[in-house]
Amino acid sequence: MSTIPDTPAPRHAALRYSLLRLAVFAACFAVVAVLAYVGVLPESIGASNPLWIVLLALVFSAPISFVVLRRQRDAMSQQVAPHVERAMHKINANRSMEDAD
């Protein structure tokens, strides 16, 4: 009977996920900027052209990142979860020590 060991999360999962999120945003920003320059999307609302393009890129990149980067997000949560558990355990231990006084 063979058991499959849990695969450990990559060491730098949070950094990788953050860099990939930034890359998705940069790609969306480039596409939105080109579409605004060509005239497919409105270039601006009033005088807020750069802000408008950034906001549109954020709106487009969020759902794309949510779907495309699921594996990286899961790996990051596996890496972060033990640290959060330890911190919560310490907080609860400190709280119980304070209550005992």
Side-chain angles (χ1 to χ4, degrees):
M1 184 158 68
S2 110
T3 60
I4 300 172
D6 291 331
T7 56
R11 285 186 65 143
H12 303 289
L15 178 63
R16 181 177 177 179
Y17 176 72
S18 298
L19 290 175
L20 288 171
R21 281 285 309 258
L22 184 62
V24 169
F25 170 74
C28 286
F29 181 79
V31 169
V32 168
V34 168
L35 290 175
Y37 181 75
V38 173
V40 175
L41 294 173
E43 280 192 43
S44 65
I45 296 177
S48 62
N49 186 15
L51 182 61
W52 174 249
I53 292 175
V54 168
L55 288 175
L56 282 176
L58 282 171
V59 167
F60 290 137
S61 69
I64 292 171
S65 295
F66 184 74
V67 173
V68 173
L69 300 179
R70 184 181 67 194
R71 281 188 190 157
Q72 288 79 15
R73 190 174 51 253
D74 291 343
M76 182 181 68
S77 68
Q78 286 178 353
Q79 182 185 20
V80 172
H83 300 289
V84 172
E85 278 186 35
R86 274 194 306 254
M88 292 302 294
H89 180 67
K90 286 181 183 179
I91 288 171
N92 289 334
N94 288 339
R95 186 177 299 145
S96 66
M97 287 176 59
E98 289 175 4
D99 290 343
D101 291 342

